[in-house]
Amino acid sequence: MAILTAQATPLGGLQPTYAAATSGGDQSPVGEKLVLHVRNDDASAKTVTVATPGTVGGLAVADAAQVIPAGGDAFIPMKSSAFRDPATGRAAITYSAVTSVTVAVLQLP
């Protein structure tokens, strides 16, 4: 499991650095201006799941799952209100498979 760090996006733009998705999952910082960018360069679709550790009225909130098509990408807002794990202060991310999947956490201005 890797702990991802947020990359600040200056007003002039950013060419982000991507990390390979980890088979055991990754952790991401959370915040209102943080976005997880996931790229899938594989020939098959992948599912990215972000755990939602909270409850509403004592009922568990379903995890957020995003299917990324082959050759596609997705942007997932890393809202602390939805994804912050109280034990780590970060979001827990898992992948259906990690072949050719890269990730970056972007902090918007």
Side-chain angles (χ1 to χ4, degrees):
M1 176 179 305
I3 297 176
L4 305 172
T5 57
Q7 300 173 57
T9 305
L11 292 178
L14 171 72
Q15 292 185 358
T17 301
Y18 290 84
T22 306
S23 61
D26 293 318
Q27 291 185 0
S28 169
V30 292
E32 298 310 304
K33 292 189 174 189
L34 295 180
V35 175
L36 175 68
H37 184 205
V38 183
R39 299 188 313 184
N40 176 17
D41 292 327
D42 197 30
S44 62
K46 304 289 191 319
T47 301
V48 177
T49 303
V50 183
T52 53
T55 60
V56 174
L59 300 174
V61 178
D63 292 341
Q66 177 72 47
V67 176
I68 303 173
D73 62 352
F75 291 90
I76 303 169
M78 301 308 294
K79 299 276 189 185
S80 58
S81 59
F83 302 127
R84 184 182 178 280
D85 182 331
T88 65
R90 295 183 290 271
I93 306 159
T94 56
Y95 313 94
S96 60
V98 295
T99 303
S100 301
V101 175
T102 56
V103 295
V105 179
L106 309 175
Q107 181 177 355
L108 303 177

